[in-house]
Amino acid sequence: MVAVKIKFRRSPVSGREGTVYYQVSHRCTVRQIDTPYKLFPTEWDKRQSVIVATSSDENRRRYLSMLDKKIAEDMERLEHIIATLKQDKRLFTADDVASVFSSGGRCCAFYVFMQAVIAELKQLGKVRTCETYHSALNSFMRFLDGREILLDDMNSELMISYEAWLESKDISRNTISFYMRILRATYNRAVEKGMTAQRFPFKHVYTGVEKTMKRALPLGVIKQLSMLDLSHKPVRSRARDMLLFSFYTRGMSLIDMAFLRKKDLNNGVLSYRRKKTGRLLFIKWEPCMQEIVERYSTSDSPYLLPIISKPGVEERKQYINESHCINRHLKALGKELGLSVPLTHYVARHSWASAAQSRNIPIAIISEGMGHDSEATTRIYLTSLDSAVIDKANSLILKSLQGM
């Protein structure tokens, strides 16, 4: 009597996803067949050995629904394998069943496999990478109109069609390349795991990086932005102020601004660790920075700026929503001013670097001031810089701004 059961193995780390596996029992031998299917303990009914959808997230429910289908297909294939082995009228073992199943490959759905990859990235704490993978996957699924595609069906013709579809949506070349590189990395991981054969489906699509248009604004425009009376448009005014705060703090990224805590400001020095590189930076606190902070009341919050309005409540989601809002209003403001450069928060970082370079501030100081961690050329000549040198550079830029 051959028995096949669907089992769930919890992760040894609390709060992380476990793995679905199959248990084959025959002739007093038990063998396990691993799968790439990941679940949280709350999504598994142990008594009935079935998946339960506990999440209200549509993407998660869709993922669980696809897992249900894949498990049903696997069980059907196992039944077929067992029936075939029985017809051979020879003795076979649980090892034989597992071997035949594995040698036939697990023609997993790309969506299911990529969701498993995203889950692994989430376990590693790579939140930003998870978000970019979700964006790429959602785009690809919109192209497929929600239909399931197997790893074995990923080919060059499909990806060329996807590239053409993206181009028809006026998606930029760099964004297209970004999506393609993420999908390619996921596909290659499936190849490494033996989930599918290497067919090089991305061979004929664009995966390079084109130079983008210059995004720096001259100091005159930064000055113009700071002098604008936006009191009648408070949301747009706040977006403008967040851009200015970034410029004042040597191009600080919005995510680092969002999570600045009041305790990070001590004795006239603001300290923070860049989320992108992990580098610890120190910035001399200037009056223009204080003016922006005082403009917004955050008395009931541990944060310095009004980006996370409800501390402790889905803070990452709040940051993402506020980021979209800020950039939307900045773009509208840029159009009103007739700027040739699309105005986004990231423009502040480019503008600070450009302003520093125009004042003949050495590249080494600019690199250190912005917290770059991959300036190989700069690192050859520089091991460390006194933060006072960087503060002097920033003060020079801000004085130039005030004197215009």
Side-chain angles (χ1 to χ4, degrees), residues 182-200:
I182 290 174
L183 297 178
R184 182 178 62 185
T186 303
Y187 176 83
N188 288 342
R189 186 179 295 205
V191 172
E192 290 173 5
K193 288 179 175 288
M195 303 294 295
T196 189
Q198 179 60 272
R199 298 176 183 81
F200 302 102

Side-chain angles (χ1 to χ4, degrees), residues 156-175:
S156 182
E157 289 76 14
L158 176 69
M159 302 321 297
I160 289 173
S161 296
Y162 175 47
E163 182 180 54
W165 181 83
L166 288 171
E167 289 172 347
S168 73
K169 302 293 182 183
D170 290 328
I171 306 297
S172 71
R173 287 268 284 173
N174 279 343
T175 300

Side-chain angles (χ1 to χ4, degrees), residues 107-295:
C107 196
C108 182
F110 183 82
Y111 181 90
V112 172
F113 181 77
M114 190 161 178
Q115 284 284 16
V117 171
I118 291 171
E120 290 177 13
L121 292 170
K122 187 175 182 180
Q123 289 175 7
L124 295 173
K126 297 183 178 180
V127 179
R128 177 58 183 158
T129 306
C130 283
E131 291 170 355
T132 58
Y133 270 56
H134 264 304
S135 295
L137 179 57
N138 288 340
S139 170
F140 190 47
M141 292 308 293
R142 284 194 295 273
F143 160 68
L144 293 171
D145 198 23
R147 62 188 172 87
E148 187 174 297
I149 187 81
L150 299 178
L151 284 165
D152 284 354
D153 293 333
M154 297 282 285
N155 55 45
S156 182
E157 289 76 14
L158 176 69
M159 302 321 297
I160 289 173
S161 296
Y162 175 47
E163 182 180 54
W165 181 83
L166 288 171
E167 289 172 347
S168 73
K169 302 293 182 183
D170 290 328
I171 306 297
S172 71
R173 287 268 284 173
N174 279 343
T175 300
I176 291 174
S177 173
F178 182 62
Y179 288 160
M180 291 295 184
R181 294 197 307 272
I182 290 174
L183 297 178
R184 182 178 62 185
T186 303
Y187 176 83
N188 288 342
R189 186 179 295 205
V191 172
E192 290 173 5
K193 288 179 175 288
M195 303 294 295
T196 189
Q198 179 60 272
R199 298 176 183 81
F200 302 102
F202 301 88
K203 184 177 181 179
H204 300 295
V205 295
Y206 181 66
T207 55
V209 179
E210 287 187 342
K211 287 186 177 181
T212 56
M213 64 182 294
K214 186 177 180 182
R215 290 189 280 184
L217 295 175
L219 276 175
V221 176
I222 299 294
K223 180 73 172 180
Q224 181 185 5
L225 284 168
S226 69
M227 299 296 289
L228 281 178
D229 179 11
L230 296 173
S231 57
H232 58 298
K233 296 180 179 178
V235 178
R236 188 163 295 182
S237 177
R238 185 175 63 175
R240 182 271 313 271
D241 287 346
M242 294 305 101
L243 180 142
L244 289 176
F245 187 89
S246 173
F247 182 86
Y248 297 157
T249 54
R250 310 191 311 237
M252 187 185 297
S253 68
L254 187 59
I255 189 167
D256 290 325
M257 286 171 51
F259 292 96
L260 282 177
R261 292 180 175 269
K262 293 172 181 175
K263 65 181 182 181
D264 295 332
L265 178 59
N266 285 296
N267 301 318
V269 177
L270 179 66
S271 61
Y272 75 101
R273 193 174 295 278
R274 285 199 71 198
K275 288 191 178 294
K276 186 173 183 179
T277 63
R279 290 196 61 189
L280 182 63
L281 300 178
F282 300 92
I283 298 175
K284 180 184 176 184
W285 195 245
E286 300 280 1
C288 55
M289 305 171 192
Q290 184 64 29
E291 286 177 14
I292 289 180
V293 170
E294 289 180 349
R295 206 169 290 162

